Amino acid sequence: MAYVPGVALLAALAVGCSAGADGNANGTDSKAGTPTVTPAPPGKYLTLPAPCRAVPRSTLKDLLPGAAELPGDQQDKVFRGSAAVTYDTDRKVGCSWKADGPNATRSLSIDLERVVSYDPAVSDDDRADTVYAKKEKAAGLSASATPGPPDEKDEKDKKGEASEGSGKAKDPADGDADATDSAGPSPSGSDTASSGESTGGTPGSSSSPEEALPSRILDNLGDAAFLQDLPKKAGSTAQHHTVSVVFRTSNVVVTVRYAEQPTLVTQVPDGKELQEKAQALARKLAETLSE
C-alpha cells in the first residue's frame, strides 16, 4: 500500500504532460488559419554603376562640344567628370560634367538612386514607383493632367473642346497643332492663335521653340519616364535653358539634366536639341542598366 500513492502520482504527472502536449497542439492548430505574410520580391538591381564611367566618352564629346577645343589634359579632366558626394554608393550615386565653348557653356549631370523597401509587404519596385511619382508631381506632371506629346493629345483636346469650349486654358503648342491640322480653326485654336499674336511672337523668336516643346510624359523609356523643360526664368537676361529627363527602371530612379548657357544674351539655346540629346542619353543609360 506504500507504493500506491507513488504510482498514482506518476499517473497524474503522465496525464498532465499529455494534456499539456495536447494543449500545445491545439494552440498550434488554432493558429493554422492565420495568414502568413509573404515577403515582397526584391528589386532587380542590387548595385549601381560607377556614374562617371556610365556615359561613353564619344557621347560626352557630342554633349559637350566645347571640350573638343581644349588641350588634351584639360579634355581628360572635363570628360573624367566630378562625382557627387555620397555616403552609400550602393544606394545613390551621381556625376557632373561641364565645358565652356566659344559660343556657350554646356553642363550635364546624372543621378542614380537604388530604392530599397524595408517593408516586407511593399516591394522595392513599388517603393521606387512612389519615389518616381513624387518627382513627377513636383514637375507638375500628374497622371490625371499631363500634357502628353503631340501624338497623344488629340483625344484630350477633343474632350476639352466638347465640354468646355475655349474656357479652359490650353498649352500654346496644342493650339498651334490644332490650327495646323484642322481644316477650320476650332474655338480653342482661335483663342490660342490670337493670344500668340498678342504676345508679339514671331517666327524664330525665343518663345516659339520653348512653347512647342512642353514638359511631358515619355513613352518607351524604362517603366515610367517624364521630361521637364525649364527655359530661362522670367525677367532674367541670361538665356539659360535646362532639360531634365527622369525615368524609373525596376527599383532604380535615374535623373539626367542637360543645360546650355549661351555666351551672348542675344543667343537662344535650341530647346529641341537639348531635349533630343537628353532623351538619347537617358535611353542609353536605361539600356546599360538592363545589361
Side-chain angles (χ1 to χ4, degrees):
M1 295 299 291
Y3 294 99
V4 173
V7 173
L9 178 60
L10 291 175
L13 291 174
V15 172
C17 292
S18 176
D22 291 340
N24 291 337
N26 291 336
T28 302
D29 292 342
S30 65
K31 297 179 180 179
T34 303
T36 302
V37 177
T38 303
K44 177 180 179 180
Y45 303 102
L46 302 179
T47 60
L48 291 171
C52 293
R53 294 199 297 269
V55 183
R57 191 182 183 101
S58 58
T59 302
L60 289 173
K61 286 183 177 180
D62 179 54
L63 295 173
L64 307 170
E69 303 178 15
L70 298 174
D73 56 341
Q74 294 185 29
Q75 279 193 38
D76 292 338
K77 182 178 180 179
V78 169
F79 293 140
R80 194 178 305 126
S82 178
V85 177
T86 178
Y87 300 98
D88 189 348
T89 55
D90 284 335
R91 292 293 302 278
K92 193 170 185 179
V93 296
C95 191
S96 60
W97 300 262
K98 183 178 180 181
D100 297 324
N103 298 320
T105 296
R106 293 205 181 186
S107 58
L108 169 71
S109 70
I110 61 172
D111 292 289
L112 301 92
E113 180 179 0
R114 185 176 70 90
V115 182
V116 177
S117 172
Y118 295 102
D119 185 345
V122 179
S123 68
D124 292 347
D125 283 19
D126 288 342
R127 176 59 184 158
D129 189 53
T130 300
V131 173
Y132 165 84
K134 289 181 179 179
K135 293 179 179 291
E136 184 180 285
K137 183 178 180 181
L141 300 172
S142 63
S144 59
T146 298
D151 58 345
E152 296 179 354
K153 68 182 179 60
D154 294 340
E155 184 176 351
K156 294 180 181 179
D157 290 347
K158 291 178 181 178
K159 291 180 180 180
E161 292 170 4
S163 61
E164 301 180 42
S166 60
K168 181 179 180 180
K170 295 175 58 181
D171 191 298
D174 294 345
D176 293 340
D178 291 342
T180 303
D181 298 338
S182 60
S186 64
S188 57
S190 300
D191 290 345
T192 305
S194 62
S195 63
E197 294 174 358
S198 64
T199 57
T202 58
S205 65
S206 61
S207 61
S208 298
E210 294 170 359
E211 293 174 352
L213 298 165
S215 301
R216 60 194 181 276
I217 299 298
L218 299 176
D219 293 327
N220 303 320
L221 176 56
D223 296 312
F226 71 86
L227 180 148
Q228 185 178 19
D229 188 80
L230 299 171
K232 70 169 187 175
K233 296 181 179 179
S236 174
T237 57
Q239 298 286 353
H240 187 272
H241 197 128
T242 302
V243 171
S244 293
V245 175
V246 180
F247 71 91
R248 178 183 73 84
T249 174
S250 186
N251 61 317
V252 172
V253 178
V254 181
T255 300
V256 175
R257 294 185 184 87
Y258 187 42
E260 179 180 345
Q261 172 71 63
T263 304
L264 302 176
V265 295
T266 55
Q267 295 176 322
V268 180
D270 187 342
K272 183 178 181 181
E273 179 193 7
L274 294 175
Q275 288 196 15
E276 289 176 347
K277 290 188 175 183
Q279 290 183 73
L281 175 56
R283 296 185 190 283
K284 287 182 179 180
L285 292 174
E287 292 173 0
T288 301
L289 288 170
S290 299
E291 292 176 354

